[in-house]
Amino acid sequence: MPHSAVPPFERTPRHVAIIMDGNGRWAAARGLPRVEGHRRGVEALRRTIRAASEIGIKFITIFSFSAENWSRPAKEVGELMGLLRRFIRNDLAELHRSGVRMRVIGERVQLDPEIGRLLVEAEELTKSNDGLTLVVAFNYGARQEITRAAQRIAEKVAKGSLTAAEITMETVSECLDAPDIPDPDLIIRTSGEQRLSNFLLWQSAYSELVFVPTYWPDFDRAALETAIREYQQRERRFGGLAAKTGS
Ligand code: IPE
Ligand code: IPE
Ligand code: MG
């Protein structure tokens, strides 16, 4: 699709977060192994990153592996790890060329050292890019992230650099995994499930949620644009009054 076809979005969400769900069901519906759904999911991810960049979205966060996904069979966990490794090896240079800055949130300690190295390499290589910021939530759980923040705050209090009374909402935000990334304006979940599954619980306080029936491997630019249009029809009030009745 040529650049001129970019719709004139008036209120383009600055940060879109996506729960990429439904790979297994996509595969099952076709009599294919689940891993085939995950493979096609990587292609949907490539399309979505390209589209987000063209639409003018500044930040995109993708939920690629949850802290709870370790409970899946070892074979599937291994396949998902392999796909992440391959995604970084194959796509990092191209992402870098197109100005994407990559960030990773989630717990790194339990990860295979090779994956840990690849994640650091991706962040290091792309850190000065000023295009789309791609935040990869990998081995990520929001309650775990908030717990890590609580530990960081407790350390500051123990050291004496902060008192309990000085702890504010900003203190908590600053101790999360990526404090410089703004909260998501829009969270999209594919596959028809309507839950957050431990994704960005702190940051989603005022996000608009859009649930779409599409399985992730079928997600594309048109589906992203439909979700953005739905977002644009919402009225974000943040606890205040609607703009037209607020006078
Ligand atoms: C999303 O698809 C990918 C991950 C959670 C890693 P699923 O694998 O959850 O697919 P379904 O929900 O079983 O269809
Ligand atoms: C959420 O999907 C995690 C990712 C998309 C990576 P799940 O498929 O793991 O969520 P549940 O188990 O249906 O809540
Ligand atoms: Mg799922």
Side-chain angles (χ1 to χ4, degrees), residues 19-21 63-66 69 72 189 193 195 197:
I19 303 174
M20 310 184 291
D21 197 15
F63 202 2
S64 65
F65 189 85
S66 82
N69 287 147
R72 296 190 179 195
R189 184 172 187 146
E193 305 297 351
R195 56 176 171 265
S197 302

Side-chain angles (χ1 to χ4, degrees), residues 48-136:
T48 305
I49 294 170
R50 218 174 305 126
S53 197
E54 289 173 9
I55 288 169
I57 291 163
K58 298 283 182 255
F59 301 87
I60 185 162
T61 297
I62 50 146
F63 202 2
S64 65
F65 189 85
S66 82
E68 289 76 27
N69 287 147
W70 294 105
S71 64
R72 296 190 179 195
K75 179 169 171 282
E76 179 164 346
V77 169
E79 288 162 348
L80 288 166
M81 296 293 147
L83 281 172
L84 175 83
R85 251 195 308 264
R86 244 165 292 148
F87 174 70
I88 296 187
R89 286 214 194 100
N90 298 338
D91 289 51
L92 182 60
E94 172 60 27
L95 290 170
H96 182 45
R97 256 196 308 280
S98 50
V100 171
R101 180 172 68 127
M102 215 173 119
R103 296 288 297 277
V104 182
I105 57 173
E107 179 59 78
R108 312 259 183 124
V109 190
Q110 299 152 284
L111 295 179
D112 169 283
E114 198 211 333
I115 291 191
R117 276 194 298 277
L118 282 171
L119 297 178
V120 171
E121 183 192 327
E123 287 186 307
E124 276 297 310
L125 178 71
T126 63
K127 70 178 176 208
S128 304
N129 289 345
D130 58 6
L132 176 76
T133 297
L134 169 67
V135 183
V136 179

